[in-house]
Amino acid sequence: MVLKKEYGLGDLVEMKKPHACGTNAWIINRMGADIKLTCSACQRTIMLTRFNFDKRLKKVLEKADERKD
């Protein structure tokens, strides 16, 4: 049984592989067929298909309503 990871707009998520800057924490900026992410350390943005995002997602670190930016 595969568990579906629940994530939403504005959540801080951890990916399986780190970014070139050394962190693997990303903020979800846009959701749809593609998901737009911003690196929490260097502010670089990337876009992944939902399929690739689901494959590369490790865990949700903080939900958007729990975060204080």
Side-chain angles (χ1 to χ4, degrees):
M1 180 177 177
V2 177
L3 296 175
K4 177 131 173 84
K5 298 173 183 138
E6 296 195 15
Y7 49 83
L9 193 62
D11 289 354
L12 184 69
V13 296
E14 181 179 352
M15 305 304 275
K16 290 181 181 174
K17 292 186 179 179
H19 187 237
C21 69
T23 187
N24 57 353
W26 296 80
I27 301 167
I28 300 175
N29 287 335
R30 190 173 90 186
M31 291 179 60
D34 295 328
I35 296 182
K36 185 176 182 180
L37 302 168
T38 302
C39 179
S40 62
C42 68
Q43 306 305 314
R44 177 77 49 135
T45 60
I46 63 166
M47 289 191 66
L48 296 172
T49 63
R50 188 176 289 264
F51 176 77
N52 284 332
F53 177 78
D54 286 339
K55 216 166 47 167
R56 296 176 185 185
L57 177 65
K58 188 171 184 181
K59 65 182 175 181
V60 177
L61 297 173
E62 291 182 20
K63 299 297 270 179
D65 52 357
E66 299 170 356
R67 287 191 33 229
K68 295 177 184 175
D69 284 337

